[in-house]
Structure formats: C-alpha cells, structure tokens
Amino acid sequence: MNESAAILPPVVGWILLAAFSALWIGLGIYWGRRNKSFEDHALAGRNIGLALGSATAAATWITSNTTMLAPQFALELGVWGMLAYTTASVGLFLFAPMAVRIRKLMPTGYTSGDFFRLRYGRAAWGIFMVYTLFYSLTWLVSMAMAGGILLNALSGIPYAWGMTVILAVCVIYTMRGGLGAVIGTDFIQSLIIIVGVVIVGFAVLSHVSVDQIHENLQATRPALLNVLFPAAIMAIFNNLLFGLGEVFHNNVWWSRAFAFRDGVGGKAFALGGLIWFPIPIAAGFIALASGALNVPVPAADMVGPLVVADVLGEFGAIAIFIVVFCSLASSLDSLLAATSDLLTEDVYRKLMNPGAPPETLKKMAQYVTLALGLFTWVVCLPRIGTLASVLFFAGPLVGSMIWPIVTGLYWRRASTVGAVGGMLLGAGVGLVCYFAIGWYVATLIATAVSMVWVLACAHFSKARFAWAQLREAA
C-alpha cells in the first residue's frame, strides 16, 4: 500500500512505533535487573501469581493472528469461520488441568523437551524437537509478517521497515528481561487489547446495524451465512485440534506451567481462556461488516485494520495500531523466550555443555534469542503468502503431537513406539491431505491418524512407566 492510500501519515506511524518501542524496551531493562541465573531468566523464579498468570495466558494467545487472521476467517468462511477461531480457547481450558499435572510430575522441569526426552527417549525427543521448532519458527514468521502488514496498511510505512522495527524491539527486551519481562509486559498489553477491542466493537455497531450486515451478506455473499458450508464446518474441527496441538506441545505454555506458583497454573489458564474467548468473535464481526460499510479489501488478512480505520478515521487507525502492536508483541516475546529456553536447555545444556553454570546458560539463552530474531527477519523480508497459508502448514505437525503428550502425562502404558509412530504417521498423512485437499482438514486428519496409532500401541504395550523418572529434569 502506498502512502496516499494509507489512513495515517507515515510520521504518525513512526511516532507511535517509537513510543511503544521505548516503553517495552524500558520495561524489559527494568525487569531484567532481577535476573541473576538461568532459572530467573527462563522461568521468572517460578513465582508468578494468579493475576499475572491469567494475563500472560490471555495476552500470549491474543496474537496478531487473532486480530488479523480471525477477520480473514470470517471474510472467507463466514459465520462458522468466525466461530471456528474461538475454538482455540479450548486449548487453554484443557491445558489448565494438564498444567497442574505437569507441575506435580516435574516440579523442577524447564521445558516440554524435558518431558519428551525423559518420557519417551531420544528418538521421540528428536522428532518432537524438529516439529516444535518448525512450528515455532512458522509462528514467529507469521507474527512478524503481521507487524509489517499492519504498519504498511495503516501508515504507508514500508512492510520491511515496519516488520524489522517491531521484531527488533521484541528481541531486545526479551533478551534483557527474560520471562519476567515477557509476563510483566503481557499484563499491560492484555489490558490495552481488551479496552481497545471493546471500543472498536461499539464503534462499528454505531455505524452499521447487525440487520444491515445480514442483509448485505445475504445479497452479495450468501455462502457466508450458510450453516452447512462444508469448508467452514471442517475448519471448526480443524482449528479446534490445531489449537489443542499448539498449546499442548509448545514450550510457551509449558514454561508458564513451570513458572507459576504451586496451585496457580490451573486457575490461570482457565481464566486466560475465558478472557480470550470473545476476542476472535469481535474481530470476525468487524470483517463481516466490511461489505455493509463499503470498505474495499485488497487482501483478506488486511480486512480488520481497514474496517476500523474506515469507521473511526485517524483515531481508529491509531487504535487498531495499538491493539495489534500489543497483541503482536505479547506473542512474539513469549515465543522468542520459550524457543530460546528450549534450545538452551535441551540442546546446549543437555547435549553440548552439561556442566554449564547458570550465568553461562543465561547468556546463551540471550544469544539464542538474538539468533532467532535474525532468522525470522531474513525469512520475512520477502512477504510469503497470507497469514493463514504460513501458519496452517504446521497444523499436521502439531496435531500429531496431541496424543503422545496426553497419553504420556496420564497413562503409564503409553509407549515410545506409539509416540514415534503417531508423530511420523500423523504428520505424514496430514501433510499429504494439506496439499491434496486443503489446510482446513490437514490437522484433523493428522490428529485422527496419530490417535489411532498411539492408543493401539498403548493398548498392546506391556510397559509401565515410572512417573518418578520425570523428576530427573533438573
């Protein structure tokens, strides 16, 4: 988008970007003073309470994909597409009891990789690491892309420049402050996001009624109102399982399970899910209003910012900039921190330098965070596809890990053969379906194939895992 087509002048966009960049970096430096060891840096001293815990769970899940991809779902798949994105909240609800179980079985654990290595052995751990790192990098890329798209759409700032600045800011304060800075900024960001979404929702309703939106859709795009729209129905189940796989396997959530105080994890994730649930509905509703408001949409993943800017003018452009910037930062920093800790703990500490002192591990985690940021920047420079196509390619991988994790946490008979086969077969079949049918069935099929294999292997297994082995994570 060129400068003449943007809502905000570039100078306003740069001022907003500079102000929030300075705020987050300043907070990262402030909170980083408390970090004396790797455990402080990676897990915030294992002392996060309920208020910060609930806020970080919600804010981390309110990604730039939520505020930009949920409207894209609604625009492409209609009402069911809008509701499909809300099913991701189920992942947080179901992870609530799992977080309690994880903390009980692994009171000194650091990462989800620790679990796979101790529960299933090196082979399963290696596959898990490939899958989770691929997913994590895909998520990083999709969010960095969203940052560049946002600034370009609203202020005409070139995509590459906007993406670069936002990514650099998140890297700097995550390196300095670790998980403590991530969770602290998440608390502030979650409040800004919730207030912003409420204001935007009422603003849209003040310009167009629900009846007008319905009439416009019925006249111009009746398929979006079809409750039997096949692709949309499949998207509901696909997105539900994708959300489960994302939460169950990713170290973003496991690190919080380890970082929360005893007794906090279950409550924090449940409250986070409740806070998150209405956000994609509000974002999707904004997209469905675009036709009735006569807002031209050059690309589906830009519909949210364009509608808000049209309704509220320059104030709306500023509001959506702030909301999406906060949602972007709250997820980018979490993923940078969690992926850095995974590589530091599972690769550097366990494989390369088992005797590394805490200060060395902390420095290594900071270097890895910088490397992840540089890698993401290089990949994002040429904009690659839409947010949905970038993110959902990883769906079969995360879906194939759901059952190895669930059975591994609760069933002594869950076996290495089941975990390895479930991940390989599920991901393989799911990726074939991704290309042969579409993204909206890939995760569903991958999860189903993995489930059958994992449960069958557990049923015939004679092994009985000793839970005490998981306490070796320290």
Side-chain angles (χ1 to χ4, degrees), residues 378-412:
V378 170
V379 173
C380 287
L381 275 179
R383 183 177 166 185
I384 48 176
T386 65
L387 296 178
S389 64
V390 171
L391 186 62
F392 279 100
F393 183 77
L397 305 185
V398 301
S400 71
M401 291 187 282
I402 293 175
W403 285 97
I405 291 169
V406 174
T407 56
L409 281 172
Y410 292 98
W411 201 356
R412 293 181 184 273

Side-chain angles (χ1 to χ4, degrees), residues 61 66 83-94 236 239-244 246-247 253 273 276-277 280:
W61 214 212
T66 307
L83 296 178
Y85 211 94
T86 65
T87 61
S89 62
V90 177
L92 293 181
F93 292 137
L94 294 183
I236 292 176
N239 205 65
L240 169 63
L241 294 172
F242 188 23
L244 292 181
E246 285 185 289
V247 175
W253 311 105
W276 185 88
F277 179 80

Side-chain angles (χ1 to χ4, degrees), residues 138-163:
T138 303
W139 191 6
L140 275 170
V141 167
S142 71
M143 287 187 293
M145 282 176 52
I149 292 168
L150 167 71
L151 292 185
N152 181 251
L154 295 182
S155 67
I157 294 175
Y159 162 80
W161 280 104
M163 179 272 296

Side-chain angles (χ1 to χ4, degrees), residues 253-329:
W253 311 105
W254 284 68
S255 65
R256 281 157 174 74
F258 294 129
F260 294 161
R261 294 174 192 158
D262 286 335
V264 168
K267 299 174 185 177
F269 282 109
L271 286 173
L274 286 173
I275 295 170
W276 185 88
F277 179 80
I279 302 298
I281 295 178
F285 170 76
I286 291 170
L288 293 179
S290 61
L293 292 169
N294 295 315
V295 177
V297 181
D301 55 7
M302 293 167 58
V303 61
L306 292 176
V307 169
V308 175
D310 180 82
V311 169
L312 294 177
E314 186 168 320
F315 174 78
I318 293 173
I320 197 64
F321 171 88
I322 294 172
V323 168
V324 178
F325 183 91
C326 289
S327 63
L328 176 80

Side-chain angles (χ1 to χ4, degrees), residues 146-195:
I149 292 168
L150 167 71
L151 292 185
N152 181 251
L154 295 182
S155 67
I157 294 175
Y159 162 80
W161 280 104
M163 179 272 296
T164 299
V165 173
I166 291 178
L167 183 59
V169 169
C170 292
V171 168
I172 291 169
Y173 77 76
T174 302
M175 284 180 63
R176 183 69 178 94
L179 187 62
V182 168
I183 291 177
T185 54
D186 278 354
F187 183 79
I188 300 171
Q189 290 157 353
S190 64
L191 294 177
I192 294 173
I193 292 167
I194 292 169
V195 172

Side-chain angles (χ1 to χ4, degrees), residues 110-113 132 249-256 338-339 341-342:
Y110 278 87
T111 69
S112 52
T132 194
H249 92 276
N250 197 266
N251 197 49
V252 164
W253 311 105
W254 284 68
S255 65
R256 281 157 174 74
T339 307
D341 296 340
L342 187 70

Side-chain angles (χ1 to χ4, degrees), residues 329-421:
S330 67
S331 301
L332 260 175
D333 57 12
S334 296
L335 193 53
L336 285 166
T339 307
S340 170
D341 296 340
L342 187 70
L343 289 169
T344 303
E345 165 71 10
D346 286 57
V347 178
Y348 179 75
R349 182 182 187 184
K350 289 297 192 295
L351 297 182
M352 300 171 63
N353 191 1
E359 184 59 32
T360 299
L361 292 172
K362 176 187 170 183
K363 289 181 179 179
M364 179 55 63
Q366 293 173 324
Y367 294 147
V368 173
T369 300
L370 177 60
L372 288 169
L374 290 173
F375 174 85
T376 304
W377 178 74
V378 170
V379 173
C380 287
L381 275 179
R383 183 177 166 185
I384 48 176
T386 65
L387 296 178
S389 64
V390 171
L391 186 62
F392 279 100
F393 183 77
L397 305 185
V398 301
S400 71
M401 291 187 282
I402 293 175
W403 285 97
I405 291 169
V406 174
T407 56
L409 281 172
Y410 292 98
W411 201 356
R412 293 181 184 273
R413 296 173 66 172
S415 67
T416 299
V417 172
V420 171

Side-chain angles (χ1 to χ4, degrees), residues 238 392 395-396 426 429-431 433-434 438-447:
N238 189 80
F392 279 100
V429 175
L431 285 173
C433 294
Y434 177 93
W439 64 265
Y440 48 84
V441 299
T443 307
L444 174 63
I445 293 173
T447 305

